[in-house]
Amino acid sequence: FDKERISFNDAVNNYKDKPEGAPSANILDHQITLVQKDGSSIERYHGIIKIYDKDGVEKEGEQQFPADYLLSLRTIKPDGRVVEPEYVPYKKTIGMSGLEVGDIIEYEYFSLNPPNDLKNDSYYTPYVFLFQDVEKPFYRTSWTIKYPQNFNMQFYEQNLPAPPLEYKEDELKVKKYDYNEMPRVAFE
């Protein structure tokens, strides 16, 4: 996973300024999925959110993750100080202590998913990787999925700015979706 990981510094140093009208923005929305031969998978997610106004503080002040292992969660102040979150036992969300306009939230986690038991040599996920959101723009959004070559995978791809990069790595097929400056999705 480390080869594909996008570092905090790379993501933040390449980020441009505030998208108009957004209370917050995803500077980085990055997932790597490794599908095993039995259909189980390991996913590593790295997210970085920039807070632009009080609405952003309110919306991002409590974080919740679909994770088995939370690797890191922190607030980075504009002056570089790091503030640790507030963990409360049995609470479903994690409070981002002292979150203010101008702060950045960074988090990383692993999710472990069992085989789907639907069909041999297959992978199924109930999650959808959207590359966009109604509430906030995504500056860099990326999903890399690696899976066994004998899996006949089908992907529902809609409204993408470009097709994914496809290649083989060892005995795996790889699809890499990587997009920059994805605007908010308009309400319909």
Side-chain angles (χ1 to χ4, degrees):
F1 287 109
D2 285 340
K3 187 170 87 171
E4 289 88 6
R5 185 181 178 275
I6 300 168
S7 73
F8 175 83
N9 287 337
D10 284 345
V12 172
N13 290 341
N14 291 315
Y15 178 65
K16 296 181 183 170
D17 206 356
K18 174 187 175 183
E20 290 301 314
S24 62
N26 275 337
I27 293 175
L28 181 64
D29 171 50
H30 179 57
Q31 181 168 305
I32 305 161
T33 303
L34 175 60
V35 179
Q36 306 294 320
K37 290 179 182 179
D38 66 356
S40 64
S41 66
I42 303 167
E43 296 175 333
R44 182 175 185 158
Y45 183 85
H46 186 193
I48 301 173
I49 301 170
K50 173 83 176 195
I51 308 300
Y52 288 113
D53 62 27
K54 291 180 182 179
D55 286 341
V57 171
E58 186 175 320
K59 288 180 181 181
E60 307 294 349
E62 294 286 326
Q63 294 289 318
Q64 185 173 7
F65 306 100
D68 294 306
Y69 299 99
L70 184 61
L71 301 175
S72 66
L73 174 61
R74 63 187 184 150
T75 299
I76 299 103
K77 298 288 187 179
D79 65 7
R81 289 180 295 127
V82 174
V83 178
E84 297 298 324
E86 176 186 349
Y87 295 97
V88 177
Y90 306 107
K91 185 178 174 188
K92 291 183 179 181
T93 60
I94 301 170
M96 303 308 295
S97 304
L99 189 64
E100 299 173 303
V101 173
D103 289 351
I104 292 175
I105 299 170
E106 179 187 30
Y107 55 97
E108 287 189 81
Y109 61 80
F110 273 110
S111 292
L112 307 175
N113 304 300
N116 66 46
D117 295 329
L118 298 174
K119 181 179 171 186
N120 289 338
D121 299 332
S122 70
Y123 164 75
Y124 168 80
T125 180
Y127 303 107
V128 176
F129 203 91
L130 295 174
F131 306 102
Q132 288 180 292
D133 190 8
V134 173
E135 294 183 1
K136 58 187 164 218
F138 289 34
Y139 178 70
R140 179 147 186 211
T141 179
S142 176
W143 179 43
T144 300
I145 180 166
K146 300 178 178 187
Y147 54 96
Q149 291 185 30
N150 64 315
F151 279 33
N152 184 17
M153 301 279 276
Q154 295 179 349
F155 296 83
Y156 180 68
E157 302 168 345
Q158 183 177 356
N159 300 324
L160 298 176
L165 180 63
E166 297 185 56
Y167 56 95
K168 293 181 182 175
E169 183 178 280
D170 300 320
E171 296 186 23
L172 299 172
K173 287 184 182 177
V174 179
K175 281 188 104 163
K176 183 173 185 171
Y177 302 81
D178 196 8
Y179 308 113
N180 290 319
E181 300 183 38
M182 297 296 286
R184 291 188 287 180
V185 177
F187 286 107
E188 292 184 12

